[in-house]
Amino acid sequence: QVQLEESGGGSVQAGGSLRLSCAVSGYTFSRLHMGWFRQALGKEREGVAGVRRDGTTRYADSVLGRFTISKDNAKNTLYLQMNSLKPEDTAMYYCAADFSPGQMYEWLLLDTQRYNYWGQGTQVTVSA
């Protein structure tokens, strides 16, 4: 089965940067649709960035231009480069994957219900 493990979270001041990593095992990496999600205290989990197995990406409006999702096929690893961090970016960040043979519409890349494999999460805290 698909296994996901996030790393790279931590505490940073506003304006700083972090790079999150998601190590993937248990499935052919290139066949996966993958995404990053986050959940702040008292709020619902929301999609941050996603990448379809054909390379198509989508970002939440709140992070567009600041965050970049990418993959390293040689390392079976998904990344989220986070720049110009803001206090409102503070949340638990989760990596997710789906290998369904059906169509993954671009807008579904940010839908929590579309994914059924999840990592344990890594905390990101941004101070003012």
Side-chain angles (χ1 to χ4, degrees), residues 4-7 20-24 34 36 76-79 95-96:
L4 310 173
E5 184 175 3
E6 303 96 334
S7 62
L20 306 184
S21 299
C22 175
V24 180
M34 302 195 70
W36 286 100
N76 288 351
T77 301
L78 178 76
Y79 299 100
C95 175

Side-chain angles (χ1 to χ4, degrees), residues 65-85:
R66 300 189 297 121
F67 293 7
T68 303
I69 188 170
S70 63
K71 296 186 293 183
D72 186 333
N73 290 331
K75 296 182 178 180
N76 288 351
T77 301
L78 178 76
Y79 299 100
L80 183 67
Q81 180 65 46
M82 309 165 68
N83 297 326
S84 301
L85 284 163

Side-chain angles (χ1 to χ4, degrees), residues 111-124:
D111 186 351
T112 60
Q113 300 302 309
R114 186 63 177 81
Y115 297 85
N116 52 17
Y117 291 95
W118 297 84
Q120 293 298 306
T122 184
Q123 179 68 38
V124 171

Side-chain angles (χ1 to χ4, degrees), residues 25-104:
S25 62
Y27 201 80
T28 304
F29 185 70
S30 62
R31 294 182 178 178
L32 294 170
H33 308 295
M34 302 195 70
W36 286 100
F37 297 78
R38 67 186 182 188
Q39 186 168 22
L41 290 176
K43 297 183 178 180
E44 296 181 356
R45 188 171 299 184
E46 63 175 350
V48 176
V51 57
R52 206 160 63 186
R53 55 186 166 219
D54 67 359
T56 301
T57 59
R58 178 173 283 272
Y59 297 90
D61 290 341
S62 60
V63 307
L64 189 64
R66 300 189 297 121
F67 293 7
T68 303
I69 188 170
S70 63
K71 296 186 293 183
D72 186 333
N73 290 331
K75 296 182 178 180
N76 288 351
T77 301
L78 178 76
Y79 299 100
L80 183 67
Q81 180 65 46
M82 309 165 68
N83 297 326
S84 301
L85 284 163
K86 304 175 181 179
E88 51 262 43
D89 294 319
T90 296
M92 183 73 75
Y93 282 72
Y94 299 90
C95 175
D98 179 85
F99 58 85
S100 298
Q103 178 67 272
M104 170 67 90

